[in-house]
Amino acid sequence: MAVSFDLTEDQLELQKWVHEFAADVVRPAAHEYDEREAFPWEVLQEAAKIGLYSLDFFATQWFDESGLGIPLTMEELFWGDAGIGLAIVGTTLAAASVRANGTDEQVGQWIPAMFGTETEPKVAAFCSSEPDAGSDVGAMRTRAVYDEKTDEWVLTGTKTWATNGGIADIHVVTAVVDPELKARGHASFVVPPGTKGISQGQKFLKHGIRASHTAEVVLDECRIPGDCLLGGREKLEERLARAREGVQSGRTQPSMATFERTRPAVGAQAVGVARAAYDYALEYAGQRVQFGRPIIENQAVAFLLADMRTSIDAARLLVWRAAWMARNGQQFTAAEGSMSKLVAGETAVRVTEKAMQILGGNGYTRDYPVERMARDAKIYTIFEGTSEIQRLVIARTISGVHVR
Ligand SMILES: Cc1cc2nc3c(=O)[nH]c(=O)nc-3n(C[C@H](O)[C@H](O)[C@H](O)COP(=O)(O)OP(=O)(O)OC[C@H]3O[C@@H](n4cnc5c(N)ncnc54)[C@H](O)[C@@H]3O)c2cc1C
């Protein structure tokens, strides 16, 4: 599909619909859930009721030919609130892993189950990070051992930082099947609802996105059926055999494949947070009077707003380009997906900090939302690959050098 900066009627309608939900339902609930640091089940139920939290909705956006369906949704929802936004879209990270690594049968079986129903929504978690394996995915220790006798996989290890970890019905877990092959000896598994041996460890108390649940997930000889290996046994054996022979498969390990697919979407979330703070500061600067005139009449304030808006628009363009490239099968020859997440994440941090400055003392209190937005923004330079890791990926891709 040819690129165009004119949104279609359908896209404008989508943007308006998600924005209304963000403004009417998400934003009014944001302060309370941030203070309580609790998962917003009530808001998720509202989202499920109108079809926003549903496989149908996300599938429609995934298959939007322009690739913009997901970025438009993310930006509007996270404009409402990033913590609640992540509570609503966290499941899609697990779904993306099943899409990237599962067979058609597994996609059909597990992805619909992750969302639950309109009246009883469920969530899913993607568990890759471990205490000693954050940026360094290759250091993963969680083991998956196949038990021929029972046709089961036995998972043992501790996952950390899992969004929805422990409150999810379905957990997607990456684990080591062949330690000698390091990162090429990993595989992904679905842990079905009600499985014994999986439990929530510590729930993290966070700086921001506090409505989103983040926890450790402990796997204690957790037995799952053989067909819960994503992609199936035959494909895994072929992949491992190629890796043992040292043949390049051209594929990255499962968790990396998932991160590549999701980076522009995460960038769009950061754009939403930045825009929320910018919108608030712009209005505030027009109303707040000091020295007998609105503070926006001072260049020092107006130029801050000019820079904020310019950097938000620049970040959005990188996000849209990467999302369009992903949907249209373009080669990421300069790691454009990572670029979009890097710029959007750092823009969110800078813009929210400037918004606090424009609000003065009010910006520093929890009575005004920009303080929460600034706390929320910081996650975008950390998760889904830190800013340093994005730079590493970009540097290696553009140079062909194994930059360290
Ligand atoms: C709120 C939250 C939600 C999360 N959700 C999930 C989830 O759902 N599923 C999941 O699997 N994970 C999740 N994560 C984990 C997240 O992806 C990791 O925190 C992130 O990848 C960084 O890993 P780390 O925290 O271990 O930091 P480390 O890897 O220890 O990094 C520490 C610092 O060192 C830097 N650094 C490390 N290596 C290099 C290098 N080679 N070159 C330069 N700098 C380097 C980093 O950039 C960083 O600044 C989440 C994290 C948080 C905080």
Side-chain angles (χ1 to χ4, degrees):
M1 189 182 182
V3 72
S4 163
F5 294 106
D6 268 336
L7 295 181
T8 64
E9 282 300 313
D10 283 353
Q11 289 167 335
L12 289 169
E13 208 174 293
L14 166 77
Q15 200 176 36
K16 185 166 171 279
W17 183 63
V18 182
H19 186 81
E20 278 170 9
F21 182 76
D24 300 344
V25 182
V26 174
R27 184 69 71 85
H31 178 69
E32 182 201 329
Y33 285 103
D34 176 61
E35 290 287 322
R36 280 176 42 209
E37 205 152 1
F39 188 87
W41 285 108
E42 296 81 359
V43 183
L44 189 79
Q45 259 151 8
E46 291 299 312
K49 216 187 279 171
I50 65 160
L52 174 52
Y53 184 71
S54 71
L55 174 57
D56 266 8
F57 173 74
F58 284 104
T60 306
Q61 306 320 320
W62 285 329
F63 293 110
D64 169 6
E65 279 185 356
S66 70
L68 295 190
I70 290 289
L72 290 171
T73 301
M74 294 293 184
E75 181 176 335
E76 295 314 313
L77 196 56
F78 284 68
W79 174 91
D81 180 60
I84 296 177
L86 193 59
I88 294 173
V89 308
T91 296
T92 62
L93 190 58
S97 177
V98 174
R99 264 181 88 202
N101 303 300
T103 61
D104 288 348
E105 212 183 349
Q106 288 168 327
V107 167
Q109 180 180 5
W110 296 115
I111 299 186
M114 288 179 174
F115 289 87
T117 62
E118 192 188 307
T119 48
E120 212 182 323
K122 309 273 188 208
V123 293
F126 174 69
C127 312
S128 171
S129 302
E130 297 183 5
D132 292 326
S135 302
D136 183 8
V137 180
M140 188 183 295
R141 287 207 207 125
T142 296
R143 272 292 261 143
V145 178
Y146 185 61
D147 183 343
E148 296 271 357
K149 276 186 253 136
T150 58
D151 182 27
E152 286 174 319
W153 285 92
V154 187
L155 306 179
T156 304
T158 300
K159 293 292 180 181
T160 193
W161 303 123
T163 299
N164 297 340
I167 62 165
D169 236 40
I170 294 172
H171 293 77
V172 175
V173 172
T174 54
V176 179
V177 286
D178 186 337
E180 281 179 16
L181 295 176
K182 303 220 165 71
R184 301 190 70 196
H186 295 176
S188 299
F189 300 86
V190 168
V191 180
T195 303
K196 287 198 186 106
I198 184 167
S199 60
Q200 183 184 304
Q202 177 189 1
K203 176 192 167 182
F204 294 104
L205 300 177
K206 304 194 297 294
H207 176 65
I209 55 162
R210 288 156 52 137
S212 169
H213 174 95
T214 318
E216 282 180 336
V217 171
V218 181
L219 298 142
D220 181 11
E221 298 200 10
C222 174
R223 287 183 166 266
I224 53 172
D227 62 7
C228 286
L229 163 69
L230 289 175
R233 193 85 197 284
E234 207 175 305
K235 232 169 144 194
L236 172 71
E237 291 305 338
E238 279 170 22
R239 185 160 61 79
L240 295 180
R242 276 200 304 271
R244 282 181 201 115
E245 285 164 15
V247 178
Q248 289 295 320
S249 71
R251 282 201 64 191
T252 47
Q253 67 263 38
S255 48
M256 281 300 147
T258 303
F259 289 142
E260 275 311 312
R261 285 176 94 84
T262 53
R263 268 173 194 162
V266 178
Q269 298 172 7
V271 171
V273 177
R275 200 185 98 212
Y278 159 78
D279 284 352
Y280 201 93
L282 178 64
E283 200 181 329
Y284 186 94
Q287 286 169 1
R288 172 71 176 163
V289 174
Q290 287 293 275
F291 300 99
R293 58 182 186 267
I295 59 170
I296 200 169
E297 288 185 21
N298 302 297
Q299 275 194 5
V301 174
F303 280 14
L304 275 182
L305 287 159
D307 285 347
M308 289 155 79
R309 176 60 190 264
T310 304
S311 55
I312 292 168
D313 281 18
R316 183 187 298 110
L317 287 173
L318 284 179
V319 165
W320 284 12
R321 177 180 71 166
W324 174 82
M325 288 176 75
R327 186 67 188 98
N328 287 276
Q330 305 281 315
Q331 288 285 318
F332 284 82
T333 52
E336 291 87 344
S338 297
M339 275 186 200
S340 71
K341 196 266 179 181
L342 170 65
V343 171
E346 301 209 333
T347 296
V349 171
R350 278 197 308 271
V351 166
T352 53
E353 197 271 338
K354 284 177 177 153
M356 281 176 73
Q357 189 65 21
I358 290 172
L359 265 72
N362 286 336
Y364 200 63
T365 71
R366 299 214 299 278
D367 292 336
Y368 286 77
V370 294
E371 182 270 347
R372 183 182 68 248
M373 291 163 186
R375 283 188 284 109
D376 292 345
K378 187 57 196 160
I379 193 59
Y380 291 100
T381 67
I382 297 174
F383 73 179
E384 288 272 322
T386 64
S387 285
E388 291 75 20
I389 295 302
Q390 310 298 335
R391 288 191 172 90
L392 201 63
V393 172
I394 298 163
R396 285 178 181 171
T397 311
I398 60 173
S399 69
V401 174
H402 193 72
V403 180
R404 284 166 195 277

